Amino acid sequence: MGLQIFGTRKCPDTRKAERFFRERGAAYQFIDLAEKGISPGELASVKAALGGASLIDAEGKRFRDRGLAYQDYDEEAELLADPLLLKTPVVRDGRRAIVG
């Protein structure tokens, strides 16, 4: 499996990650979360690589608009239902991953 970048075209940090890999000649696959969400298997792989760290962008506008700060929620279910809640970019290479 090659290098994957999960993010959105509007996210400046995602564009920086793309530029970083492009400048170094690294081949990568870009997955636009606005068009296609993250699959349950990919989400589980990223969570395992990060040791269970939170993947939801708790400082984002979408998080506030959904009112998640004021309620208990299942992180995995929320991310699968609305992949734009994910901290971006997520860069994954096999079993290794990094967020932000």
Side-chain angles (χ1 to χ4, degrees):
M1 175 182 291
L3 190 67
Q4 293 178 313
I5 300 175
F6 295 88
T8 61
R9 294 283 178 202
K10 292 183 176 183
C11 175
D13 291 329
T14 300
R15 289 194 310 260
K16 287 177 190 175
E18 279 190 285
R19 186 176 64 236
F20 176 86
F21 291 112
R22 191 172 42 250
E23 287 174 353
R24 284 152 180 83
Y28 63 89
Q29 176 188 17
F30 178 74
I31 294 95
D32 191 349
L33 294 172
E35 295 175 11
K36 178 185 175 195
I38 191 166
S39 74
E42 290 168 334
L43 182 61
S45 172
V46 170
K47 284 189 81 152
L50 296 175
S54 178
L55 296 175
I56 287 188
D57 184 8
E59 297 177 9
K61 182 180 184 318
R62 199 163 192 97
F63 183 83
R64 288 188 306 272
D65 290 347
R66 290 181 55 128
L68 295 175
Y70 307 107
Q71 58 184 318
D72 288 332
Y73 58 89
D74 178 17
E75 181 174 304
E76 188 170 331
E78 291 294 333
L79 287 172
L80 291 173
D82 188 359
L84 295 177
L85 286 169
L86 194 64
K87 288 179 189 175
T88 56
V90 175
V91 178
R92 187 176 85 155
D93 184 21
R95 294 186 179 198
R96 297 180 304 168
I98 189 164
V99 176

